[in-house]
Amino acid sequence: MLYRDPCVFVVGREYQIAFNTTEFGIAWIETGGRAYRDSRNGLMRSETLIHKVSIPMDVLNAARTYRVCFRALPERRPYFPELGPLQTKDYPFQPVDFSHNVHAYMLADTHSRIDAPCRAASCFGDQLDLLILNGDIPAESKAAEDIRAIYDITSRVTGGRLPVVFARGNHDYRGRLATELPDYIGTRNGETYFTFRIGCLWGICLDCGEDKDDADAEYGGLVDCHDMRLAETAYLKDVIRRAGEEYLAPGVTLRLAVCHLPFTTKQVEIGDPKFNIEVELFAEWTELLNQMHLDAMLCGHTHHLDIVRPGDAEMRMPANFPVYIGS
């Protein structure tokens, strides 16, 4: 029935449980006394091997368990379709508990590697509370097996029982199925930038897009990141407008930004001017993020470890928060 254990993505104040099946069929999640179906516009989705269901955070936090339900459908006939038998699998769920020390681990730039990243993310053993995947988890998005590297990791590290925060990276933009990636991850109505709330933790996931100008020959005219960044700028301004229900909401004591590219730092340039893009736009993003009282921004992309603090020579934008780079 399942290719790997489900992944419980965090978006806003809901969980989006995504799972890959080994054959076509209809699917749903049962928790908290009701069923949450993978349907769209009144129809159960079946011609797909990836399913995703949204569940209110409070419901799953209270239930602490969920059941994956699946019925195969080899042929979607217009009349009297024949479904296979019901198949189910139960999973425990562990909400993040901020009454004690919380253990979170971030992976970035695993580039389809599985074993070493999973060993690294197991450093807390069974005390892990939250997994953060910060871009370039698949090497590219050229085929479904590439994207499923996300689930190869989350299945081994979380077993479907822990929440996962996912931010898109620049390599995720490359390949035949790059446009389909949002079906496999948590999104805000299809958008790959969003805020999230886990207990006293408020966070914002940013998507910088590709790391070179849209017109770069490497992309062959297939990317439109500038316009996405403009829409994202408007979203950042809207988050500030709604500060009272976002980063200034009651109970928020920790604020993080999660972003694959460390755009506020000189590290993003990687020693080549072709990576020094959207300077004015990223400067505006920095000014907007400075208003969100961030405790830190978590980044990847550069394939090394670093901490860039406000005022450091390596900080290219006047950010008032430290940037932790780990990839």
Side-chain angles (χ1 to χ4, degrees):
M1 175 179 72
L2 296 179
Y3 167 77
R4 293 287 186 267
D5 293 323
C7 184
V8 184
F9 293 106
V10 180
V11 178
R13 298 199 180 196
E14 69 178 18
Y15 296 117
Q16 296 180 8
I17 302 180
F19 50 97
N20 295 263
T21 56
T22 56
E23 56 186 326
F24 285 177
I26 64 172
W28 66 96
I29 299 288
E30 294 179 354
T31 187
R34 63 157 289 187
Y36 297 85
R37 296 175 177 84
D38 181 18
S39 64
R40 187 173 295 169
N41 297 320
L43 291 167
M44 296 292 288
R45 299 175 66 242
S46 64
E47 300 289 300
T48 180
L49 298 178
I50 177 67
H51 296 272
K52 186 165 62 174
V53 175
S54 297
I55 298 173
M57 192 171 285
D58 290 344
V59 171
L60 188 54
N61 285 350
R64 291 178 174 264
T65 184
Y66 64 93
R67 173 175 292 168
V68 178
C69 303
F70 177 78
R71 296 186 70 180
L73 182 59
E75 180 184 358
R76 188 161 184 142
R77 301 174 186 169
Y79 303 100
F80 306 105
E82 295 183 10
L83 289 162
L86 175 64
Q87 302 175 65
T88 66
K89 188 169 184 180
D90 293 337
Y91 287 90
F93 181 71
Q94 178 183 311
V96 180
D97 182 1
F98 284 91
S99 67
H100 55 70
N101 289 336
V102 169
H103 299 92
Y105 200 93
M106 184 182 80
L107 291 170
D109 301 278
T110 57
H111 291 282
S112 294
R113 296 174 179 86
I114 307 301
D115 291 341
C118 288
R119 289 198 302 271
S122 68
C123 70
F124 295 124
D126 61 4
Q127 296 185 45
L128 181 67
D129 297 292
L130 174 66
L131 180 64
I132 300 171
L133 299 180
N134 200 349
D136 291 5
I137 303 304
E140 300 97 11
S141 299
K142 63 182 183 297
E145 52 265 33
D146 296 304
I147 300 177
R148 285 200 295 262
I150 298 168
Y151 294 86
D152 293 334
I153 290 176
T154 59
S155 183
R156 283 174 54 175
V157 175
T158 76
R161 67 181 181 87
L162 301 175
V164 175
V165 173
F166 187 98
R168 186 163 64 159
N170 59 301
H171 277 259
D172 301 327
Y173 278 76
R174 303 173 185 179
R176 183 174 61 87
L177 291 185
T179 57
E180 309 303 319
L181 178 67
D183 289 338
Y184 289 79
I185 61 176
T187 69
R188 179 183 56 86
N189 299 321
E191 303 291 355
T192 49
Y193 47 90
F194 51 87
T195 64
F196 62 90
R197 176 75 184 272
I198 309 173
C200 65
L201 167 63
W202 177 88
I204 184 165
C205 278
L206 302 172
D207 187 344
C208 289
E210 268 290 5
D211 60 357
K212 295 175 285 296
D213 187 79
D214 285 358
D216 193 283
E218 183 174 318
Y219 309 138
L222 299 184
V223 300
D224 184 27
C225 294
H226 177 70
D227 282 350
M228 181 196 70
R229 296 184 194 109
L230 293 178
E232 199 163 349
T233 303
Y235 178 69
L236 288 169
K237 293 177 180 178
D238 185 62
V239 169
I240 292 172
R241 182 184 64 80
R242 297 181 293 102
E245 58 193 75
E246 294 281 0
Y247 53 90
L248 295 182
V252 173
T253 60
L254 178 63
R255 302 168 181 88
L256 294 177
V258 181
C259 182
H260 181 69
L261 270 64
F263 63 87
T264 67
T265 77
K266 294 179 181 177
Q267 310 289 4
V268 77
E269 299 172 13
I270 319 180
D272 190 326
K274 71 179 179 181
F275 297 110
N276 187 20
I277 64 171
E278 300 276 30
V279 175
E280 292 184 3
L281 185 144
F282 285 145
E284 183 176 9
W285 282 20
T286 304
E287 293 175 2
L288 295 170
L289 292 174
N290 281 343
Q291 300 179 49
M292 298 182 187
H293 308 278
L294 295 177
D295 293 286
M297 183 160 77
L298 307 180
C299 298
H301 185 60
T302 63
H303 293 212
H304 80 301
L305 304 175
D306 203 356
I307 302 174
V308 183
R309 296 179 174 86
D312 285 356
E314 290 301 303
M315 188 73 84
R316 73 168 185 159
M317 306 289 184
N320 62 11
F321 47 85
V323 179
Y324 292 82
I325 304 171
S327 58

